[in-house]
Every structure is written in structure tokens, then in C-alpha cells.
Amino acid sequence: MSRNELKPGRIWVRYAIALSVLFFLATAIFATAQYSIGISSGWAALINTSGKQRMLSQQILLHSEQVMIAHSQADLSTQKTAATALEKALSTFKANHEALSVSAKALSEQGRLPQEIQEFYLSRDQGSFETTLTHYLNQAQMVLTNPSGSHLPLIEMRRTALDPILTELNAVVDAFQLAADSDAAFLSRFELIAYILTIGVILIEIIFIFVPLNASIISLISSLKSSQRKLSLKNDKLTLALHKNDFLKMQQIHNEVMGNYGSWYLNLVTEEVYWSEGIYAIHKRPKERGLPSLEDAINYYSEADRIAVDNHIKWSAQNKAGFSFEYDLVCEDGSKARVMSQAQYQEFEGVPFLFGMFRDISNDRAISDTLREAAETANEKAKSRSDFLAVVSHEIKTPVTGIMGILELLVDMDLPEEAQKLIQAGNENNRLLMTIVNDILEMTRLESDRVKLIPTEFSPSKIVKDVFETHKPNADQKKLDFRNQTKGPDVLMIGDDIRIKQILHNFVTNAIKFTDIGAVELSSHIASKSDENNRKVTFKVKDSGIGIPQDKREDLFIAFEQLEDTFRRKQGGTGLGLAISDRLANLMAAKITVESEEGVGSTFSLELNLEEAIQSEKPVEAPIELEALKVLVAEDVSLNRTIIEKVMQNKWGLNLTFAHDGQEAIDICQTEMFDVILMDIQMPVIDGVQAVDIIRRSMVHHIDTPIYALTANTENDHIKSYFKVGMNGCFSKPFNWQEIKMTLSELEAKYTKP
């Protein structure tokens, strides 16, 4: 046998010692638990009985007021019922008080009685206290024997005797609770020490003795832990039970003491004022100074409000009605508070009273003012940001509009091939510049949550057609096979067609950009109704371009991310298009999916669940010939007027009339009729919004004339202001001439000149 091995006899000796130690500790813990439960139960009984005393005192007050109200209303039956209940509550209160006095004496002998309980149950003259209760009980019995007698003694005794008792009972219940919590904390610490010692001893015995008996030791530890958890759970349940019964009443007392509110009454004959604890706290008036007079109470208000408060009281006395007001209070220490006072008018035995509630609402008002100021500041910042974006957009897009217009006019001129290549390069760079500007402005609006959806009725097939027509010149320039198709029923759906087009424009732009050889296909599919009146609408853009590597797909929708720097140098752009599309899709509760194979091509899909619009029979009208339209164009920039004239009048054959500012447009509209009005927004003298507002309100002959804004300000708030004054649409600078031409060609015949 090695030196480290123990003989069997020694093992069993140590095992017996260990069991003895464990038995002693287990006994101590069990005794502690029993003692803890006994003390907690004792405290619970005392707190419960004291709580009942407080409830009985409140019932006594309630029944006393019921007696007085019934007496004032000459309701003898109700008065007798209330007096009987009052007598019963007083008798129970007196019996409980005697029992609590005995318990308090026992606790006093143990040295565990708090000062408040000592003074309430032992230090006071119990004979005098019982005499007070007996006298009040006799008064209640007199009500039963003589219902028609005077009850003013009962009122006086309630105020001078029972109100102080209720206040003292509140302190007694709190003292009982604090004493119980103190004992519980001490016992918890004692139990924790015993638990730590037990664990320590067990660990030592495991290391030196219980290696051969490991399973038994683990079982014992588990049993001890389980017992401890059960004991803790019982204590928690007991504590919850103690607090639950009087939680609401304790919360009410706490709030009043903290100065949130209080109660009061005013005798309108004697002008005697009564304040509760809470009102003293609000006024910061020491209770030792006693109750104020009516004049003193009014003088607490600010000088500007005193007359108003006095008028409220006089009005209530004259009209026998209550009141409610909010005024500024000047407290005892000079501080100010905003208070709300509410009152009800009641009479007792012909004596008029005002009973009211008083509340400090300073914090509420401060929070409300802070929130309002924060909201105003946020709105001002948002407006400043919106105005800044509008100015930036206008200042950048206005000259770019002129440059693009000049370049597009130069394309139609008979110039050398080298010059045509330079013009084409200029056009491409201009479009790239506008894409960057628009993407940055749109991302800014999205990040500030200023993009709002505007649902309208639209045709998915028309969206496909419009997007196709817009991008066909670019696809033709790269000699791509650009196709479009629509599957499913040709129905109208409800959604934000502008945002859907914006997403599809981004998809098609990328498809054409990254496809050098092959085809690009734009399609839509309208599924059958899924539930009620909803349909799944899917738009797809498929290309045979470079494709997307698997490890790069997660970065597609991150702002300013592109596949590789080589693509950025070759194709340009900010990398914002797909990030913007993803955020717009989220706004519409839509889903974007990507299928791609590197070197083969990609397919971007937009899936929406939209409500189908109610179909109505509409007459099919032939498109209007552009040559037949008479158009007023209000534009202050001479270069823009020149470009508009060359495109819309010289190329399209429209009959144009020009105005240089908003006032000139108004003057022309007063004497002439037009089929369409194109109104620039930012102009001198009178801007476009003001001009359209005047035209719509003052010129009956132009009440239905289509008016379109020409602007670089395409913020949602600005667009709403255009529609608010009566505009029918908006053409963004730099102009998409194909979009303008399509819009003008689809005007209904009723808008043409007679």
C-alpha cells in the first residue's frame, strides 16, 4: 500500500466525521429556514392586520361621509345602512387594535419594535385612545337611534380624531414593513453564510474523502440546492403576497407624500381650508405652521393668477358647480410650480363645500415643452436640409439641362464624324453626371426618411413600355438585342409607379452598362389573384453580360460599392443605384432577387404584392397629334427657351408661346387659351407655384388645362406643393425629351383647343 492511499478504517472514520458535519450543517440550515419562515409569517400577520386597520379607518371615513351625505339628502334608509356599516367597522377596528397592542407589547419585550409602532400602541395613552374610539362609536350609534339629529359632532370628530389616526396608521404599516424587510435581509445574509460554509466543507470533503463516493456526494449537493431554491421561492411568494394586497393604496400614499398630488376641501361659509399631506409638500409649507386661511392659500398663486383663482371659487359658490384650472404657484421657498386643481361642489346639512384634487404638473409641462421644442428643431433642420437640397439640385441641374439640350441639338446637325464622336462623348458624360447627382440626392432623402410612397392606379405593361422606350436608344447604340414582354392579364394595379419605374431604370441601366454583346430583356408577369383582390406582380431584367461573382453578390446593395475598381474606371457611376433600389423595395414591402453566373449573365427581379384596382369602362380615344397642341412655356433661362423651341417647335411642330417669368405667364393666360402649360418653378417676380395657384383660382377658362412643372426640385415635399396648387405632373431637369413627348401625345381629346 502506497503512502497516499488510506486504510479502509481511516476512510470510514473520516466518512463518519464528514456525515456528522453535514448533519450538523443541514440541521442548522433547516432550523434557520424554519425560524425565517416563522418570523416572516409573524410579520406578515402583523402587517396584514395593520393593513386591515388602515382599510377599516378608510371605511370609517367613507361611511361617515355616506351618513352625512344621506342626512343632507334626507335619505333615512341610506343613512341607517351607512351608520350600521360605520358601527360595524368601528367595532372591528377597536377589537383589532386591542389584539395589535398585545402583539406590540410582545415585540417590545424582544427589543424588535420600531419607534413608530412603540409610540402608536404603547407610548400613547391607550385609555384616551379607546375612549376616542368609544365616543366615535357612540356618535355612530346616535345616528341609528336619532337619524334626524345634527351630525356636525361626527364631522368634527372625523377631522380631529380619525384623520390623524389614519396618518399614523400609514406610518405604522410602513414601519412594520421596514422591520420585516430588515429581519428578512438579516436572515438572508445568515442563510448565505451558512450556504457558503456548507459548500466549502462539502468541497473539502469531496477532495479528501468522497472520491470513492462521488455519485452520493453529487446527489447530496443537488438535494441541498433544490431545497435552497424551494426555500427562496417560498420567501419570494410570501413577500409578493405581503405586498400585493395593499400595493395600489401604498402607491397612492407614496405619490402624495412625494408631492405629486393631494386633496383639499373648503367650507364656503366659514372659508375654512383643509389640506392633505401632499398639498403641504407641493406648497413646501411646513405642516407645523398649520392650515392656511383662504386668503393665504390664494396668495400662493402668482400675482397674475390670484384674481382668476378667486373668481373660480366665487363662481362655484354662486352656480353650485365645480371647476378645473391650471395656474402657476409660488411655493414657500420661492420656487415656482405649475399646478392643476379640480373641485366638486357638495352640501352637507345645508353647508356648501368644495372638495378637490390638487396636482403638480410641472414635470409633465416641462417634458411636453421639451418634446415640442425638439420636434420644432427637428422640423426646422429637416426643412433647412430640404431647402438646401432643392437649391443644390436646381443650381446643378439647370446648367446641365442647357448643356444636354445643346448637345442633343448638335447631334441632328450635319457635322464631321469626329465632331459627332465628341458630341456623343459629351452626352454620355452629361448623363453620367446627372445619374451621380440624382443618386446622391435620392440616397440623402432615403437616409433622412423623407421618401414617401404615393400609390396610384397604373398598368404594369405601360411601365414596361415606358422604361423600354427610355433605354432603347442606349441599347441600340451598343447594338444590343433589347426586348420587352408582358405576361398575364392586362389589369390596373395600385402602387407607386414612379418608384417602381425608378427601380427598373436602375436594373436596365446596369444591364445595358455591363452587357457588350448579346441581349437585354425587360419583362413583367401578373399572377392570378392570391387572396381577396391582391396579385403578385414580378418585373425582371435579364442580360447576357459579365455576370456577378458569387462572393460579390452580398455587396451589391451596399451604398457606394461596385464589383471591382476596373469596372468603376471603365463604366463609371457611384454604386448607389442598387442600394437605392433595395431601400425603395423595402418601403414598398417588395423583394429584390438576383440570379447570376459569371461570364453568362444576370437576372434581377422585383416582386410586389399589389392590390388590383377596380376596373371601369373607359372610352378609347385616339392620341392627339402634337402639331395640334398650343403650349405656353414659362421659363426664365434664355438657353433653356432656345432648346425647348428647337426641340418642341422646330422638331415636333408644337405651337409655342413663351413667358419669361410667372407674372408674364399670368398676364398671357388672362387673354389666351392653351392646351398645355409648362411652368418652370424657380423664376423671378412670381415663381411657378404662385403663378399656377393664381391661374387655377382666378381663371375659369384654364381650370382644366393640363399644367406640368419644369423643375430640378423633385423632393416629395416640393412635388406635393406642385399638386396642391393644381399641377398635373412634373418634368425633371435635365429633360427626358422622350418622356415629355409621350406625355403630350397621350393627352385626352377634351383638353384640346375647341
Side-chain angles (χ1 to χ4, degrees), residues 184-232:
F186 172 79
L187 292 172
S188 297
R189 289 193 296 271
F190 185 86
E191 290 171 3
L192 179 61
I193 293 172
Y195 181 79
I196 294 173
L197 289 175
T198 302
I199 296 299
V201 171
I202 290 174
L203 290 174
I204 294 173
E205 292 177 352
I206 287 174
I207 296 171
F208 295 99
I209 300 174
F210 290 111
V211 173
L213 303 170
N214 187 46
S216 299
I217 294 295
I218 293 175
S219 177
L220 179 59
I221 292 175
S222 299
S223 177
L224 288 173
K225 287 185 176 180
S226 177
S227 299
Q228 186 67 24
R229 283 195 297 269
K230 290 180 180 179
L231 179 62
S232 177

Side-chain angles (χ1 to χ4, degrees), residues 435-447 451 499 502-503 506-507 556-560 574-588 592:
T435 299
I436 293 172
V437 171
N438 289 331
D439 284 350
I440 292 175
L441 293 174
E442 183 71 358
M443 182 57 74
T444 303
R445 288 191 288 266
L446 284 166
E447 288 181 343
V451 174
R499 298 304 177 184
Q502 187 174 353
I503 295 174
N506 286 330
F507 287 175
L556 283 175
F557 301 102
I558 300 177
F560 303 104
T574 61
L576 288 174
L578 291 179
I580 292 171
S581 299
D582 184 55
R583 298 196 183 191
L584 290 176
N586 290 334
L587 278 178
M588 296 185 289
I592 294 178

Side-chain angles (χ1 to χ4, degrees), residues 43 197 208 257 288 308 425 476 528 625 636 650:
W43 281 117
L197 289 175
F208 295 99
V257 172
E288 294 76 16
D476 291 343
S528 302
E625 294 296 330
D636 63 312
N650 297 350

Side-chain angles (χ1 to χ4, degrees), residues 5-134:
E5 292 180 2
L6 292 175
K7 295 180 180 180
R10 292 184 179 180
I11 291 177
W12 286 110
V13 169
R14 292 191 178 187
Y15 180 63
I17 294 173
L19 286 178
S20 300
V21 173
L22 288 176
F23 178 78
F24 173 79
L25 289 173
T27 303
I29 291 174
F30 179 78
T32 301
Q34 293 296 322
Y35 180 71
S36 174
I37 293 174
I39 289 179
S40 298
S41 300
W43 281 117
L46 290 173
I47 293 173
N48 187 41
T49 305
S50 298
K52 290 181 179 179
Q53 286 294 84
R54 183 170 60 188
M55 292 177 63
L56 284 169
S57 64
Q58 292 174 344
Q59 291 177 9
I60 290 170
L61 292 176
L62 176 63
H63 296 324
S64 298
E65 291 197 4
Q66 289 175 345
V67 168
M68 291 182 285
I69 292 173
H71 183 269
S72 65
Q73 297 175 352
D75 187 351
L76 296 181
S77 175
T78 302
Q79 181 179 349
K80 184 174 181 181
T81 301
T84 302
L86 175 61
E87 181 183 11
K88 182 178 179 182
L90 281 167
S91 299
T92 306
F93 184 91
K94 184 177 180 182
N96 287 347
H97 182 79
E98 293 172 356
L100 284 172
S101 297
V102 175
S103 300
K105 185 175 182 181
L107 288 173
S108 177
E109 293 173 355
Q110 297 175 12
R112 295 173 29 235
L113 190 66
Q115 182 66 28
E116 292 86 352
I117 304 173
Q118 178 83 21
E119 293 176 356
F120 187 80
Y121 286 108
L122 301 179
S123 298
R124 70 158 63 227
D125 185 358
Q126 294 300 315
S128 175
F129 180 80
E130 293 180 1
T131 299
T132 299
L133 292 177
T134 303

Side-chain angles (χ1 to χ4, degrees), residues 27 54 74 123 126 134 209 300 320 335 347 390 416 427 524 563 639 648 656:
T27 303
R54 183 170 60 188
S123 298
Q126 294 300 315
T134 303
I209 300 174
Y300 274 105
K320 298 183 178 181
S335 61
E347 292 186 1
N427 259 328
S524 68
L563 297 184
L639 177 58
M648 299 178 66
L656 300 184

Side-chain angles (χ1 to χ4, degrees), residues 275-292 300 330-334:
W275 280 1
S276 69
E277 297 282 348
I279 299 186
Y280 278 102
I282 294 173
H283 287 73
K284 298 181 181 179
R285 176 187 175 99
K287 194 172 181 181
E288 294 76 16
R289 292 186 55 190
L291 292 167
Y300 274 105
V330 181
C331 302
E332 189 86 8
D333 61 356

